[in-house]
Amino acid sequence: MRNVYTTLLLIFAVAILICSYVISKKDKTELTKAICYIMIAAPLTMAAYAAALLATDLMFAQVMYAVYYTVSDILLINMLVYALKYTKVYEMRKWQKIFLLTVVAIDGALLIVNVFTENVFIFNCGKIDDGSGTMFYGIAERGGLYNFHRTIIYAMVVLVVIPLVVKIKRSPAMYRKKFWLTLASLIIIIAANVVYVVTDISIDFSVATYGIMAVAIYYFNVIYVPQGLVEGLLSSSIKNMDDSVICFDVDGNCVYANSVAYAFFKTVEGVPITSYLNEWLTGRKLSETSDTEWKESHEIGTLTMHYSKQFKRLCDADGRCVGCFFKFHDETEDVKRLEIERYRATHDRLTGIYNRDYFYERVNETVRKNPDAEYCMVCSDIKDFKLVNDIFGINKGDEILTAIAKAMMNLSTGKDTIYGRLSGDRFAIFMQRRLFRKEIFLNAIDSLSNLLGSTTYKLHVQVGVYDIVDKDIEPSVMCDRAYMAITTIKSSLTTIIAHYNDDIREATLEEQKVTGEFSEALGAGQFCFYLQPQVSVKEKVLGGEALVRWIHPERGLVPPNDFIPVLERTGFICRLDMYTWELACQKLREWHDKGYTDYHISVNISPKDFYFTDVYKTFTELVERYKIPPKSLRLEITETAIMTDFKKQAVLIQRLREYGFCVEMDDFGSGYSSLNMLKDMSVDTLKVDMEFLRKTENPERTRTILKMIVSLSKQLGMEVITEGVETKEHVDFLTEIGTDVFQGYYFAKPMPVSEFEKRYLADLN
Ligand code: C2E
Ligand code: CA
Ligand code: CA
């Protein structure tokens, strides 16, 4: 009997140990870890007991029993850890853990000491018959302290049972079974132990139940899913789903529909639900259908609801159809969001009409769809719109843009007409060529001109038309061509509409030629500058303005007006300016070395330079590199450059002046808000444009204004240079009103630097 039992016990123990090793490698969750500790302690208990039963030596038997009892304590501690972790009913405090461990440690210590003491206080071994004649060392005598050990054991069993019971009470019904089964495995040990204690059986068979319990705990906690739990969870998931779910059996009876589905069909009895399947099958058999997904919209009252629907056949393991289900997912919100996103991506925020990208996309589509139709691209631009914003405020600006968008809408009648806002104040209409009526556009523009509500300021809208001959070009290029037409009438206040024609085409080709040749020409040193003297009232030459010239190998001397506007449009001007500035600095260095330290050179800065270069850094580095005083380099900045970003430019100009540069405001008087600008920004010199005097119909008034400007500049501490001085009368008048410096053909035209040096710096030669 003993031999059979111990053999089984050992085999079982080894099997559990192997299992626990495999499990601990595979699954590393906290719970499995706690169970693995039980699965290690339980077989160790069993092995220790088997060893004690098999002992042939009294001492060995005593030791093994002591080990057996001690490991039982450890097993129960592991059980407690598991129970608390698993049920989460209670978390032991630190002192409680210490107390428990101390008690167990005392028990363990007593058990070991017991082996060696003569006077037995826990147990004593003696030879006992296993009932079949085999003698083994069993517990022959129990001392007084045995009850201490037993109390600890039972107390811990109670501590393990309590959280499990609480958990069973608190858990939803479908989970209870799981905890019940765990608890039941524990009860089996207790029962087996009780049987051993109350009967005379010499061998404790309840030890084997430790192993059974360890395996049961693992199985019920990790592997086992109570019957009904899956179904319960599945059905409550479907019940609580936001989607409609309807299940039918093979005969087309509705077996299940969740509340969302009932609400969708507005039914409680389910009849419309059943008829839905019949309508869907329309004469087919369920077995002939296949799984599908589709989208459908429903008008519900005033609302349009969007659904993504799914139909699926359900089959058993043998592939036989057992029913089907529908799932309707309400994606109205998603669709709405998408529509809003799409609207935002394709429409202009302010005016609500198409934005540039979408306008181009639609034009492309239309052109491709109708290869034989004749279209035109009509683009509009507001003259000096920036000023409208500056003077009348952003709100007024927005109001005007919205009004223009509305006008576009009214003008856009007829098939295939598309209109949109390209950028800022630029709008475009793409339409059939035969529908374009000049008078209609002129009328519309005329009514727009009064939008500012001011008698002094009129809104100047200009329109460029490109008859689309070349259909393969991008819509953006079509618009560019329409805008090129506008550039030809830009300076006119009376011409409103311009058509892209061969002249513009020529000019474009010319432009392309200039940009194409530019880089090579710059590298080949074909650019140089001329100097035009700047003369004081006492007719003393103070310096000169550097005016660039292109010495073209075929065309000869090309004046700046033939290439600067092109280079400005393309941005190449920055490279040319950088080159010219450097040449000017080299020249100044040369003059300084030869003792001509009083002469200055004025250089031009294009508005584009401010966009693409760090003007401050460039100039400070240049004067430092050539070691020339900054005041001998005068910087001519036009009003346009300042106007584009007034605040930033004001700061930059201030920094340049603080560094020591002399800053001149070029072409003063030719813009709109020259006077306005002086309010918030100071420069060293105003360079008054004489064109401003010449263009006028009322010279007397203009002279008065000029007089005021000069006197105002004096009061503001600024020097005045007048350029374009051509006659003696000019000089006399300008001297009389207080101009400091003159520049103009009356004194000299721009000349090669060598000639300038020959004339004015005679000693240099
Ligand atoms: P700007 O800066 O206003 O230069 C003055 C222009 O007026 C020069 O024309 C000059 O020859 C011309 N001019 C001078 N005195 C008189 C006169 O008494 N009567 C008339 N009718 N014209 C006079 P230019 O040299 O053809 O330069 C034209 C424009 O090209 C310049 O106007 C300037 O805006 C630009 N430019 C010239 N060189 C450069 C440069 O290196 N960089 C940049 N960014 N622009 C330059
Ligand atoms: Ca200039
Ligand atoms: Ca000028």
Side-chain angles (χ1 to χ4, degrees), residues 388-600:
V388 172
N389 273 332
D390 289 351
I391 298 169
F392 295 91
I394 300 284
N395 287 346
K396 188 72 191 172
D398 284 356
E399 201 183 289
I400 286 168
L401 293 175
T402 318
I404 292 181
K406 215 162 159 201
M408 289 273 149
M409 213 180 324
N410 295 334
L411 288 166
S412 302
T413 47
K415 195 175 159 264
D416 292 347
T417 308
I418 305 163
Y419 58 97
R421 181 179 173 199
L422 302 178
S423 65
D425 60 331
R426 295 184 153 199
F427 294 81
I429 304 180
F430 166 88
M431 63 195 328
Q432 288 193 29
R433 214 181 292 173
R434 61 179 179 82
L435 294 176
F436 177 78
R437 293 268 178 286
K438 200 175 172 184
E439 320 75 62
I440 298 177
F441 273 82
L442 285 175
N443 276 340
I445 291 167
D446 190 46
S447 37
L448 288 172
S449 68
N450 289 321
L451 274 178
L452 286 171
S454 155
T455 43
T456 19
Y457 291 94
K458 288 262 179 279
L459 199 67
H460 288 286
V461 179
Q462 290 182 314
V463 165
V465 187
Y466 169 60
D467 288 333
I468 302 169
V469 208
D470 187 356
K471 285 188 176 156
D472 294 330
I473 57 170
E474 288 294 315
S476 60
V477 180
M478 298 173 186
C479 293
D480 285 349
R481 291 192 177 170
Y483 281 110
M484 264 175 228
I486 295 185
T487 32
T488 61
I489 53 164
K490 199 95 214 178
S491 51
S492 165
L493 291 180
T494 45
T495 320
I496 308 267
I497 299 180
H499 282 260
Y500 180 84
N501 55 27
D502 286 347
D503 289 349
I504 303 174
R505 220 178 118 79
E506 287 288 303
T508 319
L509 289 177
E510 181 62 30
E511 245 192 73
Q512 282 167 355
K513 216 167 136 199
V514 168
T515 42
E517 286 179 7
F518 172 73
S519 289
E520 217 185 304
L522 189 67
Q526 289 175 17
F527 290 96
C528 68
F529 67 82
Y530 272 29
L531 277 174
Q532 186 177 30
Q534 293 178 328
V535 184
S536 76
V537 232
K538 293 191 178 138
E539 310 223 342
K540 180 182 179 309
V541 173
L542 305 169
E545 179 181 1
L547 294 157
V548 75
R549 298 290 182 263
W550 185 347
I551 321 286
H552 197 281
E554 287 152 27
R555 292 195 280 165
L557 191 94
V558 186
N561 284 341
D562 286 7
F563 58 90
I564 291 220
V566 179
L567 298 181
E568 274 189 325
R569 271 197 292 280
T570 49
F572 284 128
I573 188 69
C574 303
R575 286 171 60 197
L576 178 64
D577 276 349
M578 202 84 96
Y579 177 80
T580 320
W581 300 340
E582 176 132 21
L583 287 186
C585 288
Q586 274 172 12
K587 197 35 84 183
L588 282 168
R589 178 70 260 153
E590 202 185 311
W591 288 353
H592 272 72
D593 289 344
K594 295 188 171 155
Y596 294 99
T597 49
D598 292 341
Y599 292 95
H600 69 253

Side-chain angles (χ1 to χ4, degrees), residues 531-761:
L531 277 174
Q532 186 177 30
Q534 293 178 328
V535 184
S536 76
V537 232
K538 293 191 178 138
E539 310 223 342
K540 180 182 179 309
V541 173
L542 305 169
E545 179 181 1
L547 294 157
V548 75
R549 298 290 182 263
W550 185 347
I551 321 286
H552 197 281
E554 287 152 27
R555 292 195 280 165
L557 191 94
V558 186
N561 284 341
D562 286 7
F563 58 90
I564 291 220
V566 179
L567 298 181
E568 274 189 325
R569 271 197 292 280
T570 49
F572 284 128
I573 188 69
C574 303
R575 286 171 60 197
L576 178 64
D577 276 349
M578 202 84 96
Y579 177 80
T580 320
W581 300 340
E582 176 132 21
L583 287 186
C585 288
Q586 274 172 12
K587 197 35 84 183
L588 282 168
R589 178 70 260 153
E590 202 185 311
W591 288 353
H592 272 72
D593 289 344
K594 295 188 171 155
Y596 294 99
T597 49
D598 292 341
Y599 292 95
H600 69 253
I601 293 182
S602 301
V603 291
N604 288 287
I605 308 177
S606 144
K608 281 280 160 72
D609 291 321
F610 294 98
Y611 274 117
F612 299 115
T613 51
D614 184 339
V615 171
Y616 181 82
K617 196 165 155 239
T618 312
F619 279 113
T620 50
E621 276 176 10
L622 271 176
V623 295
E624 272 160 34
R625 185 142 48 89
Y626 287 98
K627 300 198 172 52
I628 45 174
K631 73 167 174 35
S632 36
L633 195 65
R634 293 179 158 230
L635 313 180
E636 296 197 2
I637 303 176
T638 59
E639 275 180 313
T640 341
I642 297 168
M643 282 303 296
T644 37
D645 191 346
F646 183 76
K647 271 194 191 140
K648 211 174 116 199
Q649 303 300 53
V651 174
L652 174 67
I653 288 171
Q654 193 49 35
R655 282 175 68 210
L656 287 166
R657 294 184 67 215
E658 275 164 14
Y659 188 85
F661 289 107
C662 178
V663 177
E664 296 180 0
M665 193 189 285
D666 201 0
D667 302 339
F668 186 80
S670 63
Y672 276 84
S673 57
S674 317
L675 282 170
N676 196 30
M677 218 159 20
L678 291 179
K679 181 162 63 70
D680 302 306
M681 183 170 52
S682 36
V683 290
D684 298 279
T685 307
L686 284 192
K687 197 162 182 193
V688 181
D689 199 6
M690 275 294 275
E691 275 302 302
F692 153 76
L693 241 184
R694 277 191 275 270
K695 259 193 238 158
T696 184
E697 287 165 7
N698 193 337
E700 218 23 70
R701 272 175 82 93
T702 322
R703 282 160 80 94
T704 315
I705 293 174
L706 199 56
K707 211 164 154 180
M708 291 310 294
I709 289 175
V710 175
S711 119
L712 191 77
S713 334
K714 296 275 128 157
Q715 283 175 42
L716 293 172
M718 288 181 286
E719 182 194 57
V720 178
I721 299 185
T722 313
E723 61 179 337
V725 180
E726 285 182 343
T727 59
K728 177 86 175 74
E729 287 75 54
H730 283 155
V731 182
D732 290 345
F733 167 68
L734 293 166
T735 312
E736 186 193 315
I737 62 169
T739 307
D740 306 282
V741 182
F742 309 105
Q743 180 185 341
Y745 292 175
Y746 176 74
F747 296 97
K749 285 193 172 183
M751 60 191 82
V753 179
S754 55
E755 197 180 324
F756 183 92
E757 289 170 337
K758 207 173 346 175
R759 277 212 217 168
Y760 308 109
L761 290 74

